[in-house]
Amino acid sequence: MQTAIQNALTIDVEDYFQVAALAEAVKRDDWPSMEYRVEANTDRLLELFDRHEIKATFFTLGWVAERSPDLVRRIQGAGHEIASHGYSHQLIYDQTPEVFREETRRSKKILEDIIGESVTGYRAASYSITSRSRWALDVLCEEGFTWDSSIFPVHHDRYGMPGTPFEPYQLRAPSGGLLTEFPLSTCPVGSYRLPIAGGGYFRLFPYWLSRWGLGRINRAGKPFIFYLHPWEIDPEQPRLKVKAFSRFRHYNNLDKCMGRLESLLGDFRFGSVSSVLSGVTISSEAVAV
């Protein structure tokens, strides 16, 4: 039986060869020659969401949108929200502010030209807005974004900003601009915050643990945000030669993910990020991160 609270369902539209875990095997210059699977996998998700009568937010990579404008139009035409996932899926703290601004502006324009609407939401590649890249929040404000979902309030080797709020809040960027932040969801387990928002955690954890952790957030009267990538429902994708830890992170339980997602859609209520935020009371007191 579904919970009463509506939660945010999000898809990061990128292909398997663009993820940070496989960067040791695939250079960006190799991308055009790789087998392109993101369209078919995203269409499978669109069909699934249509069957369940669910709307979601699709954070779409500019590189993908440039090559698949009709895919972006299909997402929009099905009633889903289009948001930006940047252009080239590079870690922000490895970019200069100038490169980040150029890519952010470029991706936003690509998406807006395709859908004919303003794009106001953003998610960083691999959640790479951290203490090392707070300046990126200024760029988002200056480029016309009004909300973000890039901050993961956990410790992690690649991302995370521990000590930041766990629920949607008004964020004050270093230069004073404001954004609504919907942080990636975590569940309290004693003094520890368990990352439970989806992706590799959804594939690694048994489904009962994901359902319990996400349900605990709802039982506390709060919405959670859930994310997944189209490549995570694709067990037939090419296997690239990477180190054991990266191989585990990327390929673990790909064959189980679609079934678990079906269960999740039956157990919880979902909508787009903007629809969920519209029903949440957010304090007017901004939090500086």
Side-chain angles (χ1 to χ4, degrees):
M1 184 175 179
Q2 288 188 343
T3 57
I5 293 175
Q6 186 183 59
N7 305 286
L9 178 61
T10 69
I11 303 297
D12 294 352
V13 184
E14 64 197 53
D15 219 333
Y16 67 97
F17 53 80
Q18 297 171 316
V19 304
L22 302 184
E24 62 189 275
V26 186
K27 296 181 175 60
R28 186 179 168 187
D29 291 344
D30 297 330
W31 287 5
S33 64
M34 302 295 290
E35 183 181 349
Y36 191 63
R37 302 176 68 88
V38 66
E39 278 205 34
N41 289 326
T42 304
D43 281 334
R44 288 180 64 201
L45 291 172
L46 288 173
E47 189 277 330
L48 175 66
F49 298 163
D50 180 64
R51 214 163 6 99
H52 284 265
E53 299 182 339
I54 286 172
K55 304 305 178 189
T57 297
F58 286 71
F59 292 96
T60 307
L61 202 66
W63 191 92
V64 170
E66 221 169 31
R67 284 152 184 79
S68 301
D70 285 344
L71 174 63
V72 180
R73 294 186 189 101
R74 288 198 296 277
I75 296 170
Q76 181 196 36
H80 301 289
E81 180 175 35
I82 301 291
S84 175
H85 198 32
Y87 182 78
S88 66
H89 209 263
Q90 304 304 296
L91 299 172
I92 292 175
Y93 45 73
D94 288 341
Q95 295 184 311
T96 65
E98 294 74 23
V99 169
F100 175 71
R101 183 184 297 277
E102 187 280 326
E103 289 208 350
T104 301
R105 183 178 294 170
R106 179 181 181 184
S107 178
K108 191 173 192 290
K109 185 177 188 305
I110 289 168
L111 292 172
E112 290 178 342
D113 286 349
I114 292 171
I115 67 173
E117 296 177 4
S118 179
V119 171
T120 58
Y122 181 85
R123 174 173 286 164
S126 301
Y127 308 104
S128 53
I129 294 182
T130 70
S131 59
R132 296 167 55 191
S133 51
R134 287 187 176 96
W135 50 263
L137 297 167
D138 291 326
V139 175
L140 295 180
C141 292
E142 292 160 6
E143 294 300 324
F145 292 95
T146 61
W147 64 269
D148 174 70
S149 181
S150 300
I151 296 179
F152 220 139
V154 296
H155 291 276
H156 189 275
D157 63 328
R158 187 172 290 134
Y159 53 75
M161 203 180 286
T164 53
F166 305 121
E167 301 165 6
Y169 60 101
Q170 188 173 62
L171 178 155
R172 186 176 301 282
S175 293
L178 298 176
L179 289 168
T180 298
E181 179 68 28
F182 201 145
L184 281 300
S185 293
T186 59
C187 170
V189 180
S191 61
Y192 175 67
R193 299 295 303 198
L194 180 70
I196 201 79
Y201 304 107
F202 188 60
R203 290 182 286 113
L204 175 63
F205 299 156
Y207 179 69
W208 67 262
L209 179 58
S210 293
R211 183 178 58 194
W212 173 82
L214 295 171
R216 183 168 185 183
I217 297 171
N218 277 182
R219 289 189 293 275
K222 307 296 183 182
F224 63 78
I225 189 166
F226 181 85
Y227 73 93
L228 207 68
H229 306 87
W231 56 262
E232 291 186 282
I233 61 164
D234 181 13
E236 304 304 318
Q237 66 187 262
R239 288 325 200 242
L240 304 180
K241 293 183 179 180
V242 292
K243 294 176 183 176
F245 186 50
S246 294
R247 189 164 61 248
F248 175 75
R249 269 183 172 171
H250 186 83
Y251 297 115
N252 177 63
N253 287 338
L254 292 178
D255 58 330
K256 297 179 180 178
C257 195
M258 190 63 157
R260 290 179 178 180
L261 180 59
E262 289 256 20
S263 296
L264 190 80
L265 300 185
D267 287 337
F268 298 93
R269 289 185 61 230
F270 287 103
S272 69
V273 172
S274 290
S275 68
V276 172
L277 287 176
S278 69
V280 173
T281 301
I282 296 175
S283 172
S284 59
E285 183 175 348
V287 178
V289 300

